[in-house]
Amino acid sequence: DFNTIKQTRVVGGLQGVLFGWDYTAAVNWSDSKATDEWVAGWVRGTQLLDILNSGQINLFGFNTPEALALMKQALILGPIQENKATMTDFTVNASREIYQLPAGSMALALGASYRRETFAQDSSPILATGDVPGFGGSIPPLPEVKRNVWAASAELNIPITKTLEGNVALRYDDYEDVGSTTNPKFSLRWQPTRQLLFRGAWGTGFRAPSLQELFIPLFLSSTGGTYDDPLRCPATGSPRDCGTQFNSQFGGNPNLKPEKSTNWTIGFVVEPTPAFTFGADYWWIRVKDMIGAPAEGPIFNDIANAEAAGILVRFPVGSAGCPPSTTPGGIPCPIQFAIQNNINVTEVTTSGVDVNTTVRFPRTDWGQVKVDFNGTYMIEWDQKDPLSGLLHLVGTYAGATATNVVGAGSTGAFPRWKHNLNFGWTLGPWAANLNQLYVHGYSEPADDTPTRRVGAYSIWGINGSYTGFKNVTLTLGIKNLFDRDPPFTRQDRAFQIGYDPALTDPTGRFYYASVRYAFK
């Protein structure tokens, strides 16, 4: 494949003061075009089959130039698909102080926007027919779909006392294809002393399905894992029914509802001295009607229930996929595909604590050292859906059951702890950093034991930079300084067995250099 993505973005705006209001007004237009061109390997299935059946091809040895030329006639070359999306946005914001309170000025901000979105998918005829072995199935074209989006917002900042400040915000959104919503947010900021700050917020959220999630044409792919058909495998022993990657249907759904969320946070920051800062924030988020693909695990681990729910389809009796010879003893027809196109599939509740610390050492003739630490401890990741009920997934690998991860080939591990640690040093134009990325281990299902443990992942990097030349930054660095391999995992959803590409990187020790010039 040769993939080309061309993106264009044009922004223009005004800002100033009008009738006592500070205002900004902007127009933003963007265009994105992605083209997929096939340069080798993909073939027209029916044409290649005729060539292989002609008797002119040696399937078990070398072929003559004439035979190779004959097979090349089945190659598919040239542009195969083009996706195009555009967005035009008009936004106006204005703010001013509106009332003087004993503790300070009350300030109001207002905003309004209009956005027009379009999306189109142009598939070549061969892609639309699906006559491409190994590709999964047909991908029909999608004529341009579009929608208008309107929004308005207001935000009020209220100094309640000299140390207590409140904020109230309200936003209204109207999507012409999925409806409208109004979402509030309330927050408080209390700083009783110069060294101590408390903060908290509550609000609701709204996410409309994208045009792709709504309208992308249905297509076939394969499951990430391998499964047995319990009704056919014991009788046939066929690789079609045993230990195989079954087909799954993915694509859009014009009946999707928006996702809606409720969230709140509470936390504090303490700075007893200028040399030390520590902060911690607890967060809680619940998302209802989350958009995604039904997880493959519950479907293929309970095929009878999936068939009863209408999300697993078998070939019809007497069809090309199920001739009478394939159903000895009255066993059902082979599985044709599972239905995993987008739906409002689940409700997710997650919570955790973010912590951050900064330590600044005194400046010396040898420079200054600063240590930054940022980490997240996940307390819960609970998922509720019709097939599986309530699942507690934090601290586990859930690639086959995490429905918030869309599509085959995705992973779903939720380690309890992650952090970034950085030791920084500066001296005039010189700077250096030593950093660590750490992901805590987690449990995952295994074939021979109830669970197995995936080890922790920790990699270090080092870099140095020089800014002594005007507008120029020179950088040298090493990623994965100690050449650490990712921990072993049996995940089989990402088509890259042995490690988890969502959390780790298989690249070994990596050296890099960069020159950056800033136009000022």
Side-chain angles (χ1 to χ4, degrees):
D1 291 284
F2 185 79
N3 294 284
T4 304
I5 298 176
K6 296 181 179 180
Q7 294 179 316
T8 305
R9 181 169 179 259
V10 180
V11 180
L14 296 171
Q15 64 179 29
V17 179
L18 186 64
F19 304 117
W21 289 80
D22 296 318
Y23 76 91
T24 61
V27 179
N28 180 358
W29 176 85
S30 64
D31 176 271
S32 178
K33 183 183 296 184
T35 303
D36 186 10
E37 181 180 356
W38 286 357
V39 295
W42 297 108
V43 297
R44 293 173 175 84
T46 53
Q47 185 177 358
L48 180 64
L49 187 61
D50 289 341
I51 294 171
L52 296 178
N53 288 335
S54 69
Q56 303 178 62
I57 306 301
N58 182 358
L59 300 179
F60 305 102
F62 293 105
N63 279 280
T64 65
E66 292 76 16
L68 293 175
L70 182 62
M71 285 192 290
K72 286 182 179 179
Q73 294 178 14
L75 282 174
I76 305 170
L77 303 175
I80 197 71
Q81 188 177 47
E82 180 180 275
N83 293 340
K84 184 177 181 180
T86 65
M87 189 270 290
T88 305
D89 179 86
F90 301 89
T91 300
V92 177
N93 294 303
S95 63
R96 64 171 296 175
E97 295 177 352
I98 60 172
Y99 191 75
Q100 188 67 32
L101 295 173
S105 298
M106 183 185 296
L108 176 66
L110 301 174
S113 68
Y114 163 77
R115 185 171 74 251
R116 183 172 180 81
E117 303 171 350
T118 71
F119 176 74
Q121 177 174 285
D122 184 17
S123 301
S124 68
I126 186 64
L127 201 62
T129 63
D131 188 19
V132 186
F135 191 72
S138 66
I139 298 183
L142 174 67
E144 184 180 82
V145 291
K146 52 194 175 183
R147 68 179 174 193
N148 297 316
V149 183
W150 300 86
S153 62
E155 183 175 357
L156 188 63
N157 201 65
I158 309 168
I160 302 170
T161 69
K162 291 293 184 181
T163 61
L164 181 62
E165 183 177 272
N167 184 277
V168 180
L170 192 67
R171 180 181 174 92
Y172 171 81
D173 292 270
D174 182 21
Y175 288 74
E176 67 172 347
D177 49 355
V178 294
S180 61
T181 183
T182 302
N183 293 284
K185 177 186 175 183
F186 304 93
S187 64
L188 287 173
R189 182 183 187 274
W190 180 42
Q191 189 170 0
T193 69
R194 183 177 178 181
Q195 295 79 22
L196 186 61
L197 166 69
F198 295 96
R199 57 196 176 194
W202 175 90
T204 65
F206 171 90
R207 189 184 80 83
S210 68
L211 290 176
Q212 290 91 329
E213 289 171 330
L214 289 167
F215 300 114
I216 198 77
L218 300 178
F219 64 95
L220 289 179
S221 184
S222 59
T223 59
T226 57
Y227 302 92
D228 296 336
D229 182 342
L231 301 181
R232 290 183 54 87
C233 180
T236 67
S238 167
R240 185 181 188 182
D241 305 311
C242 307
T244 188
Q245 290 176 285
F246 290 100
N247 282 337
S248 281
Q249 176 184 273
F250 296 94
N253 179 359
N255 298 316
L256 290 175
K257 297 184 294 185
E259 297 178 349
K260 296 182 179 181
S261 68
T262 303
N263 63 86
W264 60 274
T265 64
I266 186 170
F268 70 93
V269 179
V270 59
E271 190 177 72
T273 71
F276 177 76
T277 304
F278 176 81
D281 292 278
Y282 171 82
W283 44 268
W284 181 92
I285 304 168
R286 173 169 290 167
V287 183
K288 296 183 178 181
D289 293 325
M290 180 171 278
I291 296 169
E296 65 181 53
I299 295 176
F300 289 98
N301 290 327
D302 191 349
I303 285 179
N305 189 33
E307 282 192 83
I311 57 176
L312 189 134
V313 179
R314 294 184 180 274
F315 283 100
V317 176
S319 67
C322 186
S325 60
T326 65
T327 56
I331 63 174
C333 288
I335 292 173
Q336 186 176 8
F337 57 81
I339 298 176
Q340 291 184 262
N341 49 297
N342 295 331
I343 60 173
N344 294 100
V345 69
T346 189
E347 175 183 300
V348 167
T349 302
T350 181
S351 65
V353 177
D354 292 335
V355 296
N356 56 84
T357 302
T358 299
V359 180
R360 308 169 190 87
F361 291 89
R363 189 182 302 273
T364 69
D365 294 340
W366 296 93
Q368 186 178 29
V369 174
K370 186 176 78 165
V371 181
D372 292 296
F373 177 87
N374 295 280
T376 296
Y377 181 82
M378 186 178 292
I379 298 172
E380 63 178 334
W381 186 287
D382 292 348
Q383 172 182 295
K384 184 191 299 183
D385 61 59
L387 281 181
S388 304
L390 181 62
L391 300 175
H392 306 286
L393 302 181
V394 68
T396 70
Y397 171 78
T401 56
T403 50
N404 66 300
V405 181
V406 178
S410 298
T411 55
F414 304 105
R416 283 196 177 272
W417 176 257
K418 298 180 185 178
H419 75 243
N420 284 285
L421 174 65
N422 186 77
F423 298 90
W425 168 84
T426 56
L427 177 62
W430 297 93
N433 292 279
L434 175 67
N435 51 72
Q436 181 204 29
L437 168 65
Y438 176 85
V439 179
H440 196 59
Y442 52 90
S443 62
E444 69 173 0
D447 296 330
D448 52 350
T449 58
T451 59
R452 65 173 298 275
R453 189 73 182 170
V454 177
Y457 178 63
S458 174
I459 57 171
W460 290 82
I462 189 170
N463 66 73
S465 62
Y466 179 73
T467 57
F469 303 111
K470 184 178 180 180
N471 298 338
V472 175
T473 300
L474 306 176
T475 303
L476 292 173
I478 305 173
K479 296 180 180 179
N480 197 355
L481 181 62
F482 302 109
D483 201 22
R484 173 77 184 271
D485 288 332
F488 173 76
T489 170
R490 293 178 178 172
Q491 69 81 19
D492 56 2
R493 297 299 183 278
F495 299 98
Q496 299 177 65
I497 306 302
Y499 73 99
D500 190 339
L503 294 175
T504 62
D505 186 345
T507 307
R509 185 182 295 114
F510 179 81
Y511 305 87
Y512 64 93
S514 69
V515 178
R516 186 181 63 159
Y517 183 84
F519 295 90
K520 297 182 179 179

